[in-house]
PDB file of all heavy atoms in Angstrom:
ATOM      1  N   GLY A   1     -20.122   1.471  -2.116  1.00  0.00           N
ATOM      2  CA  GLY A   1     -19.795   2.239  -0.924  1.00  0.00           C
ATOM      3  C   GLY A   1     -18.725   1.525  -0.130  1.00  0.00           C
ATOM      4  O   GLY A   1     -18.353   0.388  -0.429  1.00  0.00           O
ATOM      5  N   MET A   2     -18.211   2.167   0.905  1.00  0.00           N
ATOM      6  CA  MET A   2     -17.090   1.669   1.686  1.00  0.00           C
ATOM      7  C   MET A   2     -15.921   1.358   0.747  1.00  0.00           C
ATOM      8  O   MET A   2     -15.328   0.296   0.757  1.00  0.00           O
ATOM      9  CB  MET A   2     -17.475   0.436   2.518  1.00  0.00           C
ATOM     10  CG  MET A   2     -16.579   0.219   3.724  1.00  0.00           C
ATOM     11  SD  MET A   2     -17.103  -1.119   4.809  1.00  0.00           S
ATOM     12  CE  MET A   2     -18.215  -0.236   5.893  1.00  0.00           C
ATOM     13  N   ILE A   3     -15.606   2.357  -0.096  1.00  0.00           N
ATOM     14  CA  ILE A   3     -14.568   2.217  -1.106  1.00  0.00           C
ATOM     15  C   ILE A   3     -13.498   3.273  -0.845  1.00  0.00           C
ATOM     16  O   ILE A   3     -13.767   4.467  -0.829  1.00  0.00           O
ATOM     17  CB  ILE A   3     -15.136   2.440  -2.532  1.00  0.00           C
ATOM     18  CG1 ILE A   3     -16.312   1.495  -2.804  1.00  0.00           C
ATOM     19  CG2 ILE A   3     -14.046   2.274  -3.571  1.00  0.00           C
ATOM     20  CD1 ILE A   3     -15.968   0.044  -2.858  1.00  0.00           C
ATOM     21  N   HIS A   4     -12.261   2.819  -0.645  1.00  0.00           N
ATOM     22  CA  HIS A   4     -11.152   3.734  -0.421  1.00  0.00           C
ATOM     23  C   HIS A   4      -9.869   3.093  -0.915  1.00  0.00           C
ATOM     24  O   HIS A   4      -9.695   1.878  -0.780  1.00  0.00           O
ATOM     25  CB  HIS A   4     -11.029   4.079   1.067  1.00  0.00           C
ATOM     26  CG  HIS A   4      -9.988   5.120   1.348  1.00  0.00           C
ATOM     27  ND1 HIS A   4     -10.044   6.381   0.800  1.00  0.00           N
ATOM     28  CD2 HIS A   4      -8.866   5.086   2.091  1.00  0.00           C
ATOM     29  CE1 HIS A   4      -8.996   7.084   1.229  1.00  0.00           C
ATOM     30  NE2 HIS A   4      -8.270   6.320   1.994  1.00  0.00           N
ATOM     31  N   PRO A   5      -8.954   3.868  -1.494  1.00  0.00           N
ATOM     32  CA  PRO A   5      -7.762   3.280  -2.113  1.00  0.00           C
ATOM     33  C   PRO A   5      -6.760   2.732  -1.102  1.00  0.00           C
ATOM     34  O   PRO A   5      -5.748   3.345  -0.791  1.00  0.00           O
ATOM     35  CB  PRO A   5      -7.167   4.455  -2.900  1.00  0.00           C
ATOM     36  CG  PRO A   5      -7.623   5.658  -2.155  1.00  0.00           C
ATOM     37  CD  PRO A   5      -8.993   5.319  -1.652  1.00  0.00           C
ATOM     38  N   ASN A   6      -7.048   1.587  -0.576  1.00  0.00           N
ATOM     39  CA  ASN A   6      -6.177   0.943   0.399  1.00  0.00           C
ATOM     40  C   ASN A   6      -6.486  -0.546   0.308  1.00  0.00           C
ATOM     41  O   ASN A   6      -7.276  -1.074   1.054  1.00  0.00           O
ATOM     42  CB  ASN A   6      -6.475   1.469   1.804  1.00  0.00           C
ATOM     43  CG  ASN A   6      -5.351   1.163   2.763  1.00  0.00           C
ATOM     44  OD1 ASN A   6      -4.336   0.615   2.374  1.00  0.00           O
ATOM     45  ND2 ASN A   6      -5.545   1.511   4.016  1.00  0.00           N
ATOM     46  N   MET A   7      -5.869  -1.231  -0.638  1.00  0.00           N
ATOM     47  CA  MET A   7      -6.284  -2.556  -1.088  1.00  0.00           C
ATOM     48  C   MET A   7      -6.667  -3.476   0.028  1.00  0.00           C
ATOM     49  O   MET A   7      -5.930  -3.613   0.970  1.00  0.00           O
ATOM     50  CB  MET A   7      -5.137  -3.172  -1.904  1.00  0.00           C
ATOM     51  CG  MET A   7      -5.554  -4.422  -2.618  1.00  0.00           C
ATOM     52  SD  MET A   7      -6.607  -4.178  -4.002  1.00  0.00           S
ATOM     53  CE  MET A   7      -8.217  -4.489  -3.532  1.00  0.00           C
ATOM     54  N   ALA A   8      -7.699  -4.183  -0.082  1.00  0.00           N
ATOM     55  CA  ALA A   8      -8.606  -4.115  -1.233  1.00  0.00           C
ATOM     56  C   ALA A   8      -9.811  -3.252  -0.884  1.00  0.00           C
ATOM     57  O   ALA A   8     -10.092  -3.021   0.284  1.00  0.00           O
ATOM     58  CB  ALA A   8      -9.070  -5.508  -1.597  1.00  0.00           C
ATOM     59  N   THR A   9     -10.517  -2.837  -1.883  1.00  0.00           N
ATOM     60  CA  THR A   9     -11.586  -1.876  -1.661  1.00  0.00           C
ATOM     61  C   THR A   9     -12.944  -2.348  -2.155  1.00  0.00           C
ATOM     62  O   THR A   9     -13.853  -1.553  -2.253  1.00  0.00           O
ATOM     63  CB  THR A   9     -11.235  -0.553  -2.361  1.00  0.00           C
ATOM     64  OG1 THR A   9     -10.955  -0.828  -3.734  1.00  0.00           O
ATOM     65  CG2 THR A   9     -10.045   0.092  -1.725  1.00  0.00           C
ATOM     66  N   MET A  10     -13.058  -3.608  -2.466  1.00  0.00           N
ATOM     67  CA  MET A  10     -14.302  -4.140  -3.011  1.00  0.00           C
ATOM     68  C   MET A  10     -14.080  -5.619  -3.261  1.00  0.00           C
ATOM     69  O   MET A  10     -13.080  -6.158  -2.841  1.00  0.00           O
ATOM     70  CB  MET A  10     -14.693  -3.409  -4.289  1.00  0.00           C
ATOM     71  CG  MET A  10     -13.859  -3.642  -5.513  1.00  0.00           C
ATOM     72  SD  MET A  10     -12.230  -2.960  -5.453  1.00  0.00           S
ATOM     73  CE  MET A  10     -11.335  -4.463  -5.772  1.00  0.00           C
ATOM     74  N   LEU A  11     -14.989  -6.283  -3.962  1.00  0.00           N
ATOM     75  CA  LEU A  11     -14.763  -7.645  -4.422  1.00  0.00           C
ATOM     76  C   LEU A  11     -14.581  -7.625  -5.935  1.00  0.00           C
ATOM     77  O   LEU A  11     -15.383  -7.025  -6.647  1.00  0.00           O
ATOM     78  CB  LEU A  11     -15.946  -8.557  -4.080  1.00  0.00           C
ATOM     79  CG  LEU A  11     -16.204  -8.836  -2.597  1.00  0.00           C
ATOM     80  CD1 LEU A  11     -17.426  -9.740  -2.446  1.00  0.00           C
ATOM     81  CD2 LEU A  11     -14.989  -9.476  -1.936  1.00  0.00           C
ATOM     82  N   ALA A  12     -13.530  -8.272  -6.409  1.00  0.00           N
ATOM     83  CA  ALA A  12     -13.315  -8.414  -7.851  1.00  0.00           C
ATOM     84  C   ALA A  12     -12.818  -9.815  -8.129  1.00  0.00           C
ATOM     85  O   ALA A  12     -11.994 -10.357  -7.376  1.00  0.00           O
ATOM     86  CB  ALA A  12     -12.314  -7.382  -8.363  1.00  0.00           C
ATOM     87  N   PHE A  13     -13.326 -10.393  -9.197  1.00  0.00           N
ATOM     88  CA  PHE A  13     -12.965 -11.745  -9.597  1.00  0.00           C
ATOM     89  C   PHE A  13     -12.523 -11.698 -11.048  1.00  0.00           C
ATOM     90  O   PHE A  13     -13.266 -11.229 -11.913  1.00  0.00           O
ATOM     91  CB  PHE A  13     -14.160 -12.688  -9.425  1.00  0.00           C
ATOM     92  CG  PHE A  13     -14.749 -12.636  -8.043  1.00  0.00           C
ATOM     93  CD1 PHE A  13     -15.834 -11.811  -7.772  1.00  0.00           C
ATOM     94  CD2 PHE A  13     -14.206 -13.379  -7.007  1.00  0.00           C
ATOM     95  CE1 PHE A  13     -16.373 -11.734  -6.490  1.00  0.00           C
ATOM     96  CE2 PHE A  13     -14.738 -13.315  -5.728  1.00  0.00           C
ATOM     97  CZ  PHE A  13     -15.817 -12.491  -5.466  1.00  0.00           C
ATOM     98  N   ILE A  14     -11.313 -12.163 -11.313  1.00  0.00           N
ATOM     99  CA  ILE A  14     -10.739 -12.104 -12.654  1.00  0.00           C
ATOM    100  C   ILE A  14     -10.330 -13.507 -13.066  1.00  0.00           C
ATOM    101  O   ILE A  14      -9.696 -14.229 -12.296  1.00  0.00           O
ATOM    102  CB  ILE A  14      -9.530 -11.148 -12.691  1.00  0.00           C
ATOM    103  CG1 ILE A  14      -9.984  -9.733 -12.283  1.00  0.00           C
ATOM    104  CG2 ILE A  14      -8.890 -11.122 -14.067  1.00  0.00           C
ATOM    105  CD1 ILE A  14      -8.866  -8.800 -11.950  1.00  0.00           C
ATOM    106  N   THR A  15     -10.711 -13.894 -14.269  1.00  0.00           N
ATOM    107  CA  THR A  15     -10.392 -15.219 -14.780  1.00  0.00           C
ATOM    108  C   THR A  15      -9.618 -15.097 -16.087  1.00  0.00           C
ATOM    109  O   THR A  15      -9.829 -14.158 -16.857  1.00  0.00           O
ATOM    110  CB  THR A  15     -11.658 -16.045 -15.029  1.00  0.00           C
ATOM    111  OG1 THR A  15     -12.475 -15.361 -15.986  1.00  0.00           O
ATOM    112  CG2 THR A  15     -12.446 -16.254 -13.745  1.00  0.00           C
ATOM    113  N   THR A  16      -8.751 -16.051 -16.329  1.00  0.00           N
ATOM    114  CA  THR A  16      -8.030 -16.105 -17.591  1.00  0.00           C
ATOM    115  C   THR A  16      -7.699 -17.553 -17.922  1.00  0.00           C
ATOM    116  O   THR A  16      -7.473 -18.365 -17.023  1.00  0.00           O
ATOM    117  CB  THR A  16      -6.745 -15.250 -17.569  1.00  0.00           C
ATOM    118  OG1 THR A  16      -6.079 -15.367 -18.830  1.00  0.00           O
ATOM    119  CG2 THR A  16      -5.799 -15.679 -16.461  1.00  0.00           C
ATOM    120  N   ASP A  17      -7.693 -17.857 -19.214  1.00  0.00           N
ATOM    121  CA  ASP A  17      -7.272 -19.184 -19.641  1.00  0.00           C
ATOM    122  C   ASP A  17      -5.781 -19.224 -19.954  1.00  0.00           C
ATOM    123  O   ASP A  17      -5.274 -20.210 -20.488  1.00  0.00           O
ATOM    124  CB  ASP A  17      -8.093 -19.658 -20.848  1.00  0.00           C
ATOM    125  CG  ASP A  17      -8.272 -18.584 -21.905  1.00  0.00           C
ATOM    126  OD1 ASP A  17      -7.428 -17.674 -21.975  1.00  0.00           O
ATOM    127  OD2 ASP A  17      -9.258 -18.659 -22.667  1.00  0.00           O
ATOM    128  N   ALA A  18      -5.076 -18.152 -19.616  1.00  0.00           N
ATOM    129  CA  ALA A  18      -3.624 -18.134 -19.787  1.00  0.00           C
ATOM    130  C   ALA A  18      -2.965 -19.100 -18.800  1.00  0.00           C
ATOM    131  O   ALA A  18      -3.515 -19.407 -17.738  1.00  0.00           O
ATOM    132  CB  ALA A  18      -3.085 -16.722 -19.569  1.00  0.00           C
ATOM    133  N   CYS A  19      -1.784 -19.553 -19.170  1.00  0.00           N
ATOM    134  CA  CYS A  19      -0.972 -20.385 -18.274  1.00  0.00           C
ATOM    135  C   CYS A  19       0.076 -19.486 -17.636  1.00  0.00           C
ATOM    136  O   CYS A  19       0.977 -18.988 -18.320  1.00  0.00           O
ATOM    137  CB  CYS A  19      -0.312 -21.513 -19.070  1.00  0.00           C
ATOM    138  SG  CYS A  19       0.726 -22.593 -18.065  1.00  0.00           S
ATOM    139  N   VAL A  20      -0.068 -19.240 -16.342  1.00  0.00           N
ATOM    140  CA  VAL A  20       0.822 -18.323 -15.626  1.00  0.00           C
ATOM    141  C   VAL A  20       1.304 -18.999 -14.349  1.00  0.00           C
ATOM    142  O   VAL A  20       0.487 -19.515 -13.577  1.00  0.00           O
ATOM    143  CB  VAL A  20       0.112 -17.004 -15.257  1.00  0.00           C
ATOM    144  CG1 VAL A  20       1.128 -15.974 -14.766  1.00  0.00           C
ATOM    145  CG2 VAL A  20      -0.677 -16.454 -16.423  1.00  0.00           C
ATOM    146  N   GLU A  21       2.590 -19.003 -14.128  1.00  0.00           N
ATOM    147  CA  GLU A  21       3.110 -19.565 -12.894  1.00  0.00           C
ATOM    148  C   GLU A  21       2.670 -18.693 -11.723  1.00  0.00           C
ATOM    149  O   GLU A  21       2.753 -17.459 -11.772  1.00  0.00           O
ATOM    150  CB  GLU A  21       4.632 -19.681 -12.961  1.00  0.00           C
ATOM    151  CG  GLU A  21       5.103 -20.649 -14.035  1.00  0.00           C
ATOM    152  CD  GLU A  21       6.603 -20.855 -14.020  1.00  0.00           C
ATOM    153  OE1 GLU A  21       7.262 -20.406 -13.055  1.00  0.00           O
ATOM    154  OE2 GLU A  21       7.130 -21.459 -14.976  1.00  0.00           O
ATOM    155  N   GLN A  22       2.186 -19.333 -10.648  1.00  0.00           N
ATOM    156  CA  GLN A  22       1.502 -18.620  -9.558  1.00  0.00           C
ATOM    157  C   GLN A  22       2.320 -17.486  -8.932  1.00  0.00           C
ATOM    158  O   GLN A  22       1.777 -16.397  -8.711  1.00  0.00           O
ATOM    159  CB  GLN A  22       1.051 -19.613  -8.481  1.00  0.00           C
ATOM    160  CG  GLN A  22       0.040 -19.053  -7.510  1.00  0.00           C
ATOM    161  CD  GLN A  22       0.669 -18.290  -6.345  1.00  0.00           C
ATOM    162  OE1 GLN A  22       1.862 -18.430  -6.074  1.00  0.00           O
ATOM    163  NE2 GLN A  22      -0.133 -17.494  -5.646  1.00  0.00           N
ATOM    164  N   PRO A  23       3.601 -17.667  -8.632  1.00  0.00           N
ATOM    165  CA  PRO A  23       4.324 -16.543  -8.024  1.00  0.00           C
ATOM    166  C   PRO A  23       4.338 -15.300  -8.898  1.00  0.00           C
ATOM    167  O   PRO A  23       4.261 -14.172  -8.401  1.00  0.00           O
ATOM    168  CB  PRO A  23       5.740 -17.110  -7.827  1.00  0.00           C
ATOM    169  CG  PRO A  23       5.564 -18.585  -7.787  1.00  0.00           C
ATOM    170  CD  PRO A  23       4.454 -18.869  -8.740  1.00  0.00           C
ATOM    171  N   PHE A  24       4.404 -15.509 -10.212  1.00  0.00           N
ATOM    172  CA  PHE A  24       4.430 -14.364 -11.119  1.00  0.00           C
ATOM    173  C   PHE A  24       3.040 -13.773 -11.313  1.00  0.00           C
ATOM    174  O   PHE A  24       2.891 -12.569 -11.548  1.00  0.00           O
ATOM    175  CB  PHE A  24       5.049 -14.775 -12.449  1.00  0.00           C
ATOM    176  CG  PHE A  24       6.428 -15.353 -12.305  1.00  0.00           C
ATOM    177  CD1 PHE A  24       6.689 -16.664 -12.674  1.00  0.00           C
ATOM    178  CD2 PHE A  24       7.454 -14.600 -11.756  1.00  0.00           C
ATOM    179  CE1 PHE A  24       7.952 -17.203 -12.523  1.00  0.00           C
ATOM    180  CE2 PHE A  24       8.716 -15.131 -11.602  1.00  0.00           C
ATOM    181  CZ  PHE A  24       8.977 -16.438 -11.982  1.00  0.00           C
ATOM    182  N   LEU A  25       2.008 -14.622 -11.209  1.00  0.00           N
ATOM    183  CA  LEU A  25       0.638 -14.121 -11.253  1.00  0.00           C
ATOM    184  C   LEU A  25       0.382 -13.190 -10.065  1.00  0.00           C
ATOM    185  O   LEU A  25      -0.212 -12.115 -10.216  1.00  0.00           O
ATOM    186  CB  LEU A  25      -0.343 -15.289 -11.233  1.00  0.00           C
ATOM    187  CG  LEU A  25      -1.833 -14.950 -11.377  1.00  0.00           C
ATOM    188  CD1 LEU A  25      -2.126 -14.339 -12.741  1.00  0.00           C
ATOM    189  CD2 LEU A  25      -2.690 -16.196 -11.160  1.00  0.00           C
ATOM    190  N   LEU A  26       0.845 -13.587  -8.884  1.00  0.00           N
ATOM    191  CA  LEU A  26       0.682 -12.748  -7.694  1.00  0.00           C
ATOM    192  C   LEU A  26       1.477 -11.455  -7.821  1.00  0.00           C
ATOM    193  O   LEU A  26       0.984 -10.375  -7.478  1.00  0.00           O
ATOM    194  CB  LEU A  26       1.129 -13.523  -6.456  1.00  0.00           C
ATOM    195  CG  LEU A  26       1.052 -12.779  -5.120  1.00  0.00           C
ATOM    196  CD1 LEU A  26      -0.371 -12.308  -4.846  1.00  0.00           C
ATOM    197  CD2 LEU A  26       1.545 -13.680  -3.983  1.00  0.00           C
ATOM    198  N   GLU A  27       2.678 -11.560  -8.347  1.00  0.00           N
ATOM    199  CA  GLU A  27       3.508 -10.373  -8.552  1.00  0.00           C
ATOM    200  C   GLU A  27       2.822  -9.380  -9.489  1.00  0.00           C
ATOM    201  O   GLU A  27       2.784  -8.165  -9.232  1.00  0.00           O
ATOM    202  CB  GLU A  27       4.858 -10.809  -9.137  1.00  0.00           C
ATOM    203  CG  GLU A  27       5.804  -9.693  -9.494  1.00  0.00           C
ATOM    204  CD  GLU A  27       7.049 -10.235 -10.178  1.00  0.00           C
ATOM    205  OE1 GLU A  27       7.708 -11.134  -9.604  1.00  0.00           O
ATOM    206  OE2 GLU A  27       7.367  -9.777 -11.302  1.00  0.00           O
ATOM    207  N   ALA A  28       2.265  -9.903 -10.581  1.00  0.00           N
ATOM    208  CA  ALA A  28       1.574  -9.038 -11.539  1.00  0.00           C
ATOM    209  C   ALA A  28       0.338  -8.408 -10.917  1.00  0.00           C
ATOM    210  O   ALA A  28       0.062  -7.218 -11.109  1.00  0.00           O
ATOM    211  CB  ALA A  28       1.197  -9.842 -12.787  1.00  0.00           C
ATOM    212  N   LEU A  29      -0.426  -9.194 -10.157  1.00  0.00           N
ATOM    213  CA  LEU A  29      -1.639  -8.673  -9.537  1.00  0.00           C
ATOM    214  C   LEU A  29      -1.313  -7.549  -8.567  1.00  0.00           C
ATOM    215  O   LEU A  29      -1.997  -6.514  -8.547  1.00  0.00           O
ATOM    216  CB  LEU A  29      -2.392  -9.793  -8.818  1.00  0.00           C
ATOM    217  CG  LEU A  29      -3.643  -9.362  -8.041  1.00  0.00           C
ATOM    218  CD1 LEU A  29      -4.680  -8.750  -8.975  1.00  0.00           C
ATOM    219  CD2 LEU A  29      -4.232 -10.542  -7.278  1.00  0.00           C
ATOM    220  N   ARG A  30      -0.300  -7.734  -7.751  1.00  0.00           N
ATOM    221  CA  ARG A  30       0.065  -6.679  -6.791  1.00  0.00           C
ATOM    222  C   ARG A  30       0.470  -5.397  -7.495  1.00  0.00           C
ATOM    223  O   ARG A  30       0.080  -4.301  -7.084  1.00  0.00           O
ATOM    224  CB  ARG A  30       1.194  -7.186  -5.897  1.00  0.00           C
ATOM    225  CG  ARG A  30       0.747  -8.202  -4.850  1.00  0.00           C
ATOM    226  CD  ARG A  30       1.924  -8.792  -4.108  1.00  0.00           C
ATOM    227  NE  ARG A  30       1.481  -9.619  -2.979  1.00  0.00           N
ATOM    228  CZ  ARG A  30       2.273 -10.447  -2.310  1.00  0.00           C
ATOM    229  NH1 ARG A  30       3.549 -10.569  -2.658  1.00  0.00           N
ATOM    230  NH2 ARG A  30       1.793 -11.151  -1.305  1.00  0.00           N
ATOM    231  N   GLU A  31       1.250  -5.526  -8.560  1.00  0.00           N
ATOM    232  CA  GLU A  31       1.686  -4.345  -9.300  1.00  0.00           C
ATOM    233  C   GLU A  31       0.499  -3.633  -9.938  1.00  0.00           C
ATOM    234  O   GLU A  31       0.365  -2.403  -9.857  1.00  0.00           O
ATOM    235  CB  GLU A  31       2.699  -4.757 -10.372  1.00  0.00           C
ATOM    236  CG  GLU A  31       3.225  -3.597 -11.191  1.00  0.00           C
ATOM    237  CD  GLU A  31       4.225  -4.041 -12.241  1.00  0.00           C
ATOM    238  OE1 GLU A  31       4.899  -5.091 -12.033  1.00  0.00           O
ATOM    239  OE2 GLU A  31       4.346  -3.346 -13.271  1.00  0.00           O
ATOM    240  N   VAL A  32      -0.374  -4.403 -10.577  1.00  0.00           N
ATOM    241  CA  VAL A  32      -1.525  -3.823 -11.254  1.00  0.00           C
ATOM    242  C   VAL A  32      -2.499  -3.210 -10.258  1.00  0.00           C
ATOM    243  O   VAL A  32      -3.092  -2.151 -10.516  1.00  0.00           O
ATOM    244  CB  VAL A  32      -2.212  -4.902 -12.114  1.00  0.00           C
ATOM    245  CG1 VAL A  32      -3.594  -4.464 -12.549  1.00  0.00           C
ATOM    246  CG2 VAL A  32      -1.353  -5.244 -13.323  1.00  0.00           C
ATOM    247  N   THR A  33      -2.672  -3.853  -9.106  1.00  0.00           N
ATOM    248  CA  THR A  33      -3.578  -3.342  -8.079  1.00  0.00           C
ATOM    249  C   THR A  33      -3.187  -1.941  -7.630  1.00  0.00           C
ATOM    250  O   THR A  33      -4.041  -1.071  -7.440  1.00  0.00           O
ATOM    251  CB  THR A  33      -3.592  -4.295  -6.875  1.00  0.00           C
ATOM    252  OG1 THR A  33      -4.197  -5.524  -7.266  1.00  0.00           O
ATOM    253  CG2 THR A  33      -4.374  -3.705  -5.710  1.00  0.00           C
ATOM    254  N   ASP A  34      -1.893  -1.704  -7.485  1.00  0.00           N
ATOM    255  CA  ASP A  34      -1.433  -0.387  -7.052  1.00  0.00           C
ATOM    256  C   ASP A  34      -1.785   0.694  -8.068  1.00  0.00           C
ATOM    257  O   ASP A  34      -1.967   1.856  -7.713  1.00  0.00           O
ATOM    258  CB  ASP A  34       0.081  -0.409  -6.820  1.00  0.00           C
ATOM    259  CG  ASP A  34       0.453  -1.000  -5.473  1.00  0.00           C
ATOM    260  OD1 ASP A  34      -0.427  -1.070  -4.593  1.00  0.00           O
ATOM    261  OD2 ASP A  34       1.618  -1.402  -5.299  1.00  0.00           O
ATOM    262  N   GLN A  35      -1.887   0.309  -9.332  1.00  0.00           N
ATOM    263  CA  GLN A  35      -2.172   1.275 -10.389  1.00  0.00           C
ATOM    264  C   GLN A  35      -3.666   1.450 -10.656  1.00  0.00           C
ATOM    265  O   GLN A  35      -4.053   2.402 -11.339  1.00  0.00           O
ATOM    266  CB  GLN A  35      -1.498   0.821 -11.693  1.00  0.00           C
ATOM    267  CG  GLN A  35      -0.004   0.651 -11.604  1.00  0.00           C
ATOM    268  CD  GLN A  35       0.563  -0.119 -12.788  1.00  0.00           C
ATOM    269  OE1 GLN A  35      -0.182  -0.592 -13.646  1.00  0.00           O
ATOM    270  NE2 GLN A  35       1.883  -0.239 -12.846  1.00  0.00           N
ATOM    271  N   THR A  36      -4.479   0.545 -10.127  1.00  0.00           N
ATOM    272  CA  THR A  36      -5.894   0.551 -10.496  1.00  0.00           C
ATOM    273  C   THR A  36      -6.809   0.578  -9.278  1.00  0.00           C
ATOM    274  O   THR A  36      -7.285   1.641  -8.872  1.00  0.00           O
ATOM    275  CB  THR A  36      -6.201  -0.671 -11.380  1.00  0.00           C
ATOM    276  OG1 THR A  36      -5.856  -1.881 -10.672  1.00  0.00           O
ATOM    277  CG2 THR A  36      -5.408  -0.621 -12.675  1.00  0.00           C
ATOM    278  N   PHE A  37      -7.042  -0.572  -8.654  1.00  0.00           N
ATOM    279  CA  PHE A  37      -7.978  -0.628  -7.533  1.00  0.00           C
ATOM    280  C   PHE A  37      -7.538   0.236  -6.359  1.00  0.00           C
ATOM    281  O   PHE A  37      -8.385   0.743  -5.614  1.00  0.00           O
ATOM    282  CB  PHE A  37      -8.173  -2.070  -7.071  1.00  0.00           C
ATOM    283  CG  PHE A  37      -8.857  -2.938  -8.082  1.00  0.00           C
ATOM    284  CD1 PHE A  37      -8.233  -4.072  -8.577  1.00  0.00           C
ATOM    285  CD2 PHE A  37     -10.117  -2.633  -8.556  1.00  0.00           C
ATOM    286  CE1 PHE A  37      -8.859  -4.887  -9.506  1.00  0.00           C
ATOM    287  CE2 PHE A  37     -10.755  -3.429  -9.498  1.00  0.00           C
ATOM    288  CZ  PHE A  37     -10.125  -4.561  -9.977  1.00  0.00           C
ATOM    289  N   ASN A  38      -6.232   0.401  -6.171  1.00  0.00           N
ATOM    290  CA  ASN A  38      -5.759   1.250  -5.087  1.00  0.00           C
ATOM    291  C   ASN A  38      -5.832   2.734  -5.426  1.00  0.00           C
ATOM    292  O   ASN A  38      -5.443   3.573  -4.617  1.00  0.00           O
ATOM    293  CB  ASN A  38      -4.320   0.887  -4.705  1.00  0.00           C
ATOM    294  CG  ASN A  38      -4.260  -0.296  -3.775  1.00  0.00           C
ATOM    295  OD1 ASN A  38      -5.283  -0.745  -3.273  1.00  0.00           O
ATOM    296  ND2 ASN A  38      -3.067  -0.806  -3.546  1.00  0.00           N
ATOM    297  N   MET A  39      -6.299   3.052  -6.619  1.00  0.00           N
ATOM    298  CA  MET A  39      -6.395   4.448  -7.036  1.00  0.00           C
ATOM    299  C   MET A  39      -7.839   4.915  -7.156  1.00  0.00           C
ATOM    300  O   MET A  39      -8.140   5.886  -7.845  1.00  0.00           O
ATOM    301  CB  MET A  39      -5.666   4.650  -8.371  1.00  0.00           C
ATOM    302  CG  MET A  39      -4.165   4.388  -8.303  1.00  0.00           C
ATOM    303  SD  MET A  39      -3.299   5.465  -7.122  1.00  0.00           S
ATOM    304  CE  MET A  39      -3.444   7.052  -7.950  1.00  0.00           C
ATOM    305  N   ILE A  40      -8.763   4.239  -6.463  1.00  0.00           N
ATOM    306  CA  ILE A  40     -10.150   4.690  -6.466  1.00  0.00           C
ATOM    307  C   ILE A  40     -10.611   4.981  -5.044  1.00  0.00           C
ATOM    308  O   ILE A  40     -10.084   4.425  -4.076  1.00  0.00           O
ATOM    309  CB  ILE A  40     -11.110   3.662  -7.114  1.00  0.00           C
ATOM    310  CG1 ILE A  40     -11.104   2.324  -6.352  1.00  0.00           C
ATOM    311  CG2 ILE A  40     -10.760   3.453  -8.567  1.00  0.00           C
ATOM    312  CD1 ILE A  40     -12.132   1.316  -6.856  1.00  0.00           C
ATOM    313  N   THR A  41     -11.574   5.859  -4.926  1.00  0.00           N
ATOM    314  CA  THR A  41     -12.214   6.108  -3.644  1.00  0.00           C
ATOM    315  C   THR A  41     -13.635   6.595  -3.879  1.00  0.00           C
ATOM    316  O   THR A  41     -13.908   7.287  -4.865  1.00  0.00           O
ATOM    317  CB  THR A  41     -11.439   7.131  -2.786  1.00  0.00           C
ATOM    318  OG1 THR A  41     -12.022   7.190  -1.478  1.00  0.00           O
ATOM    319  CG2 THR A  41     -11.441   8.510  -3.402  1.00  0.00           C
TER     320      THR A  41
END
């Protein structure tokens, strides 16, 4: 409940053993968020 497409809309924790430079990790997360978590209500 209390879920609406206006990031963020819940708690989510994602882990990976990939090696990703932090600025690009943030860039990817923001892009993906707009397509996924921001599209639920």
Side-chain angles (χ1 to χ4, degrees):
M2 203 174 272
I3 305 294
H4 186 59
N6 197 3
M7 190 73 260
T9 54
M10 70 290 124
L11 293 179
F13 307 95
I14 300 165
T15 60
T16 179
D17 44 25
C19 179
V20 191
E21 296 185 11
Q22 195 275 343
F24 304 117
L25 184 64
L26 179 58
E27 176 185 306
L29 176 61
R30 286 173 172 167
E31 181 180 333
V32 165
T33 293
D34 279 342
Q35 302 166 356
T36 58
F37 294 121
N38 278 351
M39 296 300 291
I40 61 174
T41 188

